[in-house]
Amino acid sequence: MKWRRLNGDKIDSLKSQVEQTIIKETKAGHKLKVCIGTDSQVKGNNVEFACVIVFVREKKGGFMFINNYRMDNNDMSLKRRMILEVSRSVEVAYGLCELFDKYDVEMEIHADINTDPYFASNKALKEAMGYILGMGFVFKAKPDAFASSSCADKVV
């Protein structure tokens, strides 16, 4: 997995960089919350994904780390794409949750899934919510899922 900052700077070791970031931001007096989300778009024969780790400084803005990747489309259903997005976010959160626990940083997983049943993405809501909550993480869906629906959406 290749991670980068918004400015394009590469991140060599994600776990190490996340820990250094938490330490630096805490020493600067910032209370952090981390939101992890993934979004995707079909582009030709591929599905392009962007997973983001958003560091939110309480009342002082935020920044994010980004990972882009792609898969063959193979007529992937919207529901399958939504579940793949959520599974990617859970995978990243699971790999970092010991750091968040160690430094007492609140963490949420944001799913780019609409809570309104009139939207197609809603078909994946129950499975996504069950998966995230079952893993012990805080779940947010649209309109409260800014990490996936705004941040990741801009870099996919």
Side-chain angles (χ1 to χ4, degrees):
M1 280 186 262
K2 295 181 180 179
W3 287 86
R4 63 181 172 87
R5 295 177 179 271
L6 187 58
N7 68 2
D9 288 350
K10 292 180 183 173
I11 296 171
D12 293 323
S13 169
L14 179 63
K15 196 169 190 176
S16 173
Q17 189 63 56
V18 168
E19 185 168 29
Q20 290 173 23
T21 299
I22 291 170
I23 291 168
K24 177 184 166 200
E25 293 294 325
T26 303
K27 280 184 181 177
H30 300 293
K31 180 171 174 24
L32 287 179
K33 176 168 75 171
V34 172
C35 304
I36 299 173
T38 305
D39 193 17
S40 65
Q41 292 178 7
V42 175
K43 295 184 178 178
N45 293 325
N46 296 308
V47 179
E48 305 229 354
F49 292 86
C51 182
V52 297
I53 302 169
V54 180
F55 295 85
V56 180
R57 298 178 190 117
E58 188 175 83
K59 299 179 183 178
K60 296 198 177 171
F63 56 95
M64 64 184 171
F65 295 167
I66 304 159
N67 171 251
N68 293 94
Y69 60 102
R70 81 174 49 145
M71 297 176 69
D72 291 334
N73 185 0
N74 296 331
D75 296 320
M76 189 182 302
S77 70
L78 178 62
K79 184 175 181 178
R80 180 161 185 252
R81 270 186 34 227
M82 299 295 105
I83 298 302
L84 284 172
E85 289 175 11
V86 167
S87 67
R88 177 65 171 155
S89 296
V90 167
E91 176 187 350
V92 171
Y94 188 75
L96 298 171
C97 65
E98 73 179 39
L99 288 176
F100 302 138
D101 290 343
K102 178 180 177 180
Y103 294 101
D104 196 29
V105 175
E106 183 183 345
M107 192 265 299
E108 301 173 348
I109 295 183
H110 291 191
D112 190 32
I113 298 174
N114 208 304
T115 55
D116 185 335
Y118 292 105
F119 288 86
S121 68
N122 183 264
K123 292 176 184 171
L125 181 63
K126 287 181 184 175
E127 289 91 338
M129 186 172 14
Y131 183 25
I132 293 169
L133 294 174
M135 291 295 291
F137 298 125
V138 174
F139 169 79
K140 298 284 183 176
K142 284 181 176 179
D144 301 316
F146 64 85
S148 58
S149 59
S150 294
C151 299
D153 179 69
K154 300 289 187 264
V155 293
V156 70

